[in-house]
Amino acid sequence: MTTNHYDLIVIGSGPGGASLAHRLASTGKKILLLERGDYLPRSVDNWDSQKVFVDGIYQTKETWYGRDGEAFHPGLHYYVGGNSKVYGAALFRLRERDFGELWHGAGISPAWPLKYDTFEPYYTEAEALFHVHGQRGEDPNEPWCNSPYPYPPVSHEPRIQALHDSLQADGLHPFHLPMGILLDEVDGKATPDSPCIRTPFFDGYPSPLNGKADAQVMCVDPALKAHPNLTLLTGAYVSTLETDASGRTVSTVNVTRNGEQERYSADIVVVACGALSSALLLLRSANDRHPHGLANGSDQLGRNYMRHNQSILMALGREPNDTVFQKTLAVSDWYFDSDDWDYPLGLMQMTARSHEAQIRGEALPSWLEWLPKMPFETMARHSMDFWLSSEDLPRPENRIRYDGDKVILELTENNMEAHHRLKKKLEQMLIQQNAHPVLLERKLYLGKNIPIGGTAHQAGTARFGTDPASSVLDLDCKAHELDNLYLTDASFFPSIGAVNPTLTIIANALRVADRIQARL
């Protein structure tokens, strides 16, 4: 079987892999980008709540198993652009204090071996690459920055502006969400040639207009168009990585494509399949030199899995909510502490509007069971929707592993007191807004039959550090035990903070790309 050789192979076309490939394509080096999926269809189905959320037409049909043997379908999407095809595009920087040791009610969030100042210039580049819209100086916990956002904030519609003004009058500090979006607007309306048109179908939906700043739209397609030295293979599932006899070098990338086995090699190999899938690839690549999985001499591979403690909550207002594009506002006042607790609570942000099909597909709370006909359409019209994220702490027993051919995701929730308190803050906040104080928790956005938080914010399965005995990667995100293997998804996170991880993934991928460029 012929082995095709490249200067660089990147496995995975999500934000971590695509950003790195985009950065290095201009070097002229021969680069291969491998994606197990295909391009996600551009279809009216992209805006169909029933098909996207209830039927899960774009979600993988793989079956994984929990700690107790319960089966579930992980909330993963195998397409060019990875999970960013359906992400909410909220692109936050980790707060500066997130890079240090933080005490929580349930324990310590460990310090990063590199601090915020290392990542700051790459955050700036990442915001430009992914067209982030925002406004500096509004978020009370925003870290220091050397430049403004590259694009102005996405404007609030009247109902959200009224919420903003009311929260501000109550002494809070609401701010414009930093959004990766291809939106050009004047007076709150999309311009005639704006790719994004402010639809109510955003969080969890692929954009058939390519108006979302995802990894395919911002990185993969432009790089392929500009640089013929970059090759993309879709439908290319990487089964294993082989090493040479020393175990120090990845020598072969084994790929299954169109039912055939193919072999590729490269001077440098970058794995960016997402924290869960990257760990699985290295685990199933075990060999005599790496009997417990590639680069797993520390026994930390697959461990310390984090995914945030998350809830999507729908509040019912007394008046109809006619907002079209709702995802423009966030509140971080309780990110690090609150008036009644000395520990971090987390972040609140608006999310896309609930739709009738989504509500019908959810399990409704007992206070609605007496209704002879569920008013799903009415509930959707009166809804205001929030995404709450609190930090979960890295625990070695929270891990992904294989049991034979079965994928086991072991997860025990921790630090939930912070999340419960954050929900209570939202409830108190909404009482002041004349919204129903009882909140309906939505599950379908995060994936059916998955523990709270799903796999949307997966991180931490191959943490980076200076000690090979307690980490998988070095500070350049190269495997301690191999000379030519790097990881550039959220696997490297030692902790996750309480903001969406994607911008940090992109920034780190650009940082690692600079290290790799020096070697190419």
Side-chain angles (χ1 to χ4, degrees), residues 29-254:
K29 297 296 184 179
K30 189 179 178 185
I31 301 173
L32 178 64
L33 180 59
L34 297 170
E35 169 54 52
R36 70 185 294 175
D38 203 338
Y39 275 86
L40 192 147
R42 296 179 67 186
S43 164
V44 293
D45 288 348
N46 296 174
W47 286 341
D48 189 314
S49 300
Q50 175 71 34
K51 292 180 178 179
V52 171
F53 287 96
V54 182
D55 301 338
I57 60 172
Y58 298 125
Q59 184 178 328
T60 180
K61 304 306 179 191
E62 279 185 275
T63 298
W64 290 3
Y65 298 87
R67 183 190 302 276
D68 298 324
E70 68 277 17
F72 67 93
H73 298 308
L76 301 176
H77 301 79
Y78 300 139
Y79 295 98
V80 177
N83 277 334
S84 73
K85 293 304 297 180
V86 299
Y87 79 149
L91 294 175
F92 285 91
R93 300 180 179 210
L94 281 170
R95 278 72 262 272
E96 186 172 10
R97 287 176 60 189
D98 283 328
F99 289 88
E101 183 178 274
L102 275 177
W103 283 86
H104 289 259
I108 297 174
S109 175
W112 287 44
L114 298 175
K115 302 308 179 188
Y116 174 75
D117 59 346
T118 299
F119 291 90
E120 198 282 332
Y122 293 104
Y123 274 131
T124 298
E125 294 183 31
E127 288 166 345
L129 180 59
F130 274 70
H131 278 234
V132 180
H133 294 241
Q135 180 66 53
R136 302 283 188 221
E138 294 182 329
D139 176 359
N141 290 299
E142 179 182 51
W144 60 267
C145 309
N146 280 323
S147 61
Y149 279 109
Y151 297 90
V154 179
S155 63
H156 298 317
E157 294 182 35
R159 182 69 180 276
I160 306 306
Q161 185 64 52
L163 174 62
H164 169 279
D165 295 345
S166 179
L167 295 176
Q168 202 168 60
D170 289 340
L172 297 176
H173 301 84
F175 59 94
H176 287 87
L177 262 174
M179 294 292 296
I181 190 169
L182 297 173
L183 174 65
D184 299 314
E185 57 176 352
V186 176
D187 297 328
K189 296 181 180 179
T191 62
D193 57 352
S194 173
C196 176
I197 58 173
R198 295 188 69 108
T199 77
F201 306 99
F202 195 79
D203 270 310
Y205 296 90
S207 171
L209 303 178
N210 285 340
K212 184 183 294 188
D214 62 48
Q216 172 219 319
V217 172
M218 306 313 301
C219 296
V220 177
D221 291 350
L224 288 172
K225 183 177 181 180
H227 303 290
N229 55 297
L230 174 65
T231 301
L232 169 68
L233 290 184
T234 59
Y237 171 71
V238 178
S239 55
T240 57
L241 304 176
E242 295 179 17
T243 67
D244 63 6
S246 72
R248 294 290 305 179
T249 301
V250 174
S251 57
T252 307
V253 177
N254 292 312

Side-chain angles (χ1 to χ4, degrees), residues 7-10 20-21 24 27 29 31 267-271 476-478 484-488 508-520:
D7 296 306
L8 171 68
I9 291 177
V10 181
L20 180 136
L24 295 176
T27 63
K29 297 296 184 179
I31 301 173
D267 297 337
I268 294 175
V269 175
V270 175
V271 174
D476 292 338
C477 290
K478 183 185 74 65
N484 69 334
L485 177 64
Y486 293 77
L487 273 68
T488 59
N508 183 65
L510 298 177
R511 182 184 73 90
V512 174
D514 283 352
R515 306 300 185 274
I516 291 175
Q517 183 171 352
R519 293 187 57 180
L520 286 174

Side-chain angles (χ1 to χ4, degrees), residues 142 245 433 461 463-464:
E142 179 182 51
Q433 312 301 318
T461 58
R463 56 167 55 172
F464 78 154

